[in-house]
């Protein structure tokens, strides 16, 4: 499991969360000024699992069809919205406003 305290302390982070392989929210941290809540994060967690599954299918298919490598396994992804971005791996994510998002710091914290 990712260290949610480390994730929520990233500059600008508004939410950090862990989720199950089925997309069920397991634990979360919210910043004091966050508009997020556990209901929203549960939906986001399901989106994370769905997108990881689709990306995995595409990566494996691309490698098998083209003979190219390096696309699988999928280790994480970013979902960019109008106001905020979710950076996630297969078990955790962090939500950051688009104007403050630091992808490198977020992925490093997720992998730690």
């Amino acid at each position: 499991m990712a260290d949610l305290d480390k994730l929520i302390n990233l500059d600008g982070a508004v939410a950090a969360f862990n989720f199950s392989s089925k997309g069920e929210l397991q634990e979360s941290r919210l910043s004091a000024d966050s508009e997020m809540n556990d209901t929203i994060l549960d939906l986001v967690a399901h989106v994370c699992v769905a997108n990881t599954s689709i990306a995995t299918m595409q990566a494996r298919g691309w490698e098998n069809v083209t003979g190219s490598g390096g696309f699988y396994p999928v280790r994480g992804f970013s979902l960019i919205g109008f106001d905020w971005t979710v950076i996630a791996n297969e078990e955790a994510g962090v939500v950051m406003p688009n104007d403050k998002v630091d992808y490198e710091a977020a992925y490093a914290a997720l992998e730690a």
Side-chain angles (χ1 to χ4, degrees):
M1 290 284 188
D3 183 345
L4 296 185
D5 293 324
K6 187 173 186 177
L7 287 170
I8 197 64
N9 285 313
L10 292 170
D11 186 34
V14 295
F17 57 101
N18 285 323
F19 52 90
S20 73
S21 62
K22 293 181 180 181
E24 296 149 342
L25 182 66
Q26 294 181 324
E27 187 178 9
S28 68
R29 301 281 187 284
L30 301 170
S31 68
D33 59 343
S34 179
E35 295 179 12
M36 297 281 159
N37 59 49
D38 282 353
T39 301
I40 293 169
L41 291 177
D42 185 66
L43 174 62
V44 171
H46 281 85
V47 170
C48 289
V49 169
N51 278 282
T52 299
S53 289
I54 292 167
T56 298
M57 174 196 63
Q58 292 171 329
R60 291 183 67 181
W62 183 254
E63 284 190 351
N64 289 332
V65 169
T66 66
S68 298
F71 299 95
Y72 179 82
V74 174
R75 293 178 41 209
F77 75 95
S78 299
L79 176 66
I80 303 169
F82 291 115
D83 298 319
W84 44 263
T85 295
V86 176
I87 300 101
N89 64 14
E90 57 191 27
E91 64 181 17
V94 60
V95 182
M96 306 175 94
N98 290 343
D99 62 344
K100 293 186 177 183
V101 69
D102 183 342
Y103 296 97
E104 289 184 34
Y107 280 116
L110 285 166
E111 290 186 9

